[in-house]
Amino acid sequence: MRVTFDRPPDHVWGSILIERDDRVVYRMSAGPITADLPHDLVHFTVEDAMRVADGIWGAIAGGVVFKSMTHQSGRRPPHAAERSVALIREYRDRIQHAELLGGFVEAVVTQPGADVAKLTAQWFATRPAEAPPPEAVRAAVAALEAAAERWRAVPIGGNLTLDWPAHRKVRPPRTARR
């Protein structure tokens, strides 16, 4: 899946062009954009660095269409809306976990030299079994810092295009498979 993050002037709502592997293209609203890393780019980077297949971007690659997305082109598969609803229902907890991971790694980046183990214990106090290992956090922090540098280099009016791995996506719920 190819994902293009637009860089409008500061504080103007941006958008993301999503070209899925099934040739269906969506545009997603990205909220107000600044030189800081956009929220959805944070998630893309963290989920990619941590090899998360069942988070936000893996869900989109697998057929989820969030309310912030509008169809641009390409023939949608039969029953695409029903499939999206079923996928969201099946992967809701994992998608929410991806939100938590993105926020956590972003918080670690803003606290250089912080005790990663202590921050992990705090952020994942209610879900300790889902806490990422320190080496995965360090890799995601490095990826996020590199992404921030790339984003700052994108000129206003430009964009940043990234590819999401084809194998990293959610699969239909077992009950929906034939």
Side-chain angles (χ1 to χ4, degrees):
M1 177 172 72
R2 177 148 291 168
V3 182
T4 302
F5 296 85
D6 293 334
R7 175 67 169 96
D10 283 355
H11 307 291
V12 171
W13 278 65
S15 66
I16 303 162
L17 188 69
I18 300 165
E19 301 169 86
R20 289 193 332 212
D21 293 342
D22 63 1
R23 299 185 186 188
V24 180
V25 179
Y26 290 92
R27 185 157 298 275
M28 185 163 72
S29 174
I33 303 298
T34 66
D36 294 331
L37 214 50
H39 177 78
D40 295 305
L41 183 51
V42 168
H43 284 289
F44 186 101
T45 304
V46 170
E47 291 175 36
D48 188 42
M50 291 187 160
R51 292 169 172 62
V52 175
D54 53 5
I56 296 154
W57 289 99
I60 293 171
V64 166
V65 178
F66 293 110
K67 290 178 184 174
S68 59
M69 296 168 61
T70 55
H71 179 253
Q72 298 292 294
S73 65
R75 187 173 185 279
R76 289 177 275 201
H79 311 289
E82 295 89 347
R83 181 173 189 236
S84 176
V85 168
L87 287 168
I88 290 171
R89 188 177 306 117
E90 177 81 7
Y91 292 99
R92 176 175 280 120
D93 287 346
R94 301 307 306 156
I95 293 168
Q96 289 174 345
H97 182 254
E99 281 283 352
L100 180 64
L101 280 175
F104 169 65
V105 173
E106 193 172 31
V108 173
V109 167
T110 64
Q111 300 177 48
D115 183 343
V116 172
K118 184 177 177 181
L119 284 174
T120 303
Q122 290 170 348
W123 275 75
F124 295 89
T126 60
R127 296 174 128 175
E130 295 181 14
E135 60 276 3
V137 174
R138 284 191 284 279
V141 164
L144 206 53
E145 289 170 339
E149 285 183 37
R150 281 194 314 273
W151 181 250
R152 283 190 294 272
V154 174
I156 290 180
N159 58 51
L160 176 63
T161 299
L162 303 167
D163 290 319
W164 184 261
H167 67 276
R168 215 176 295 148
K169 62 183 175 182
V170 299
R171 304 288 179 205
R174 288 189 192 115
T175 57
R177 290 186 187 154
R178 293 183 184 160

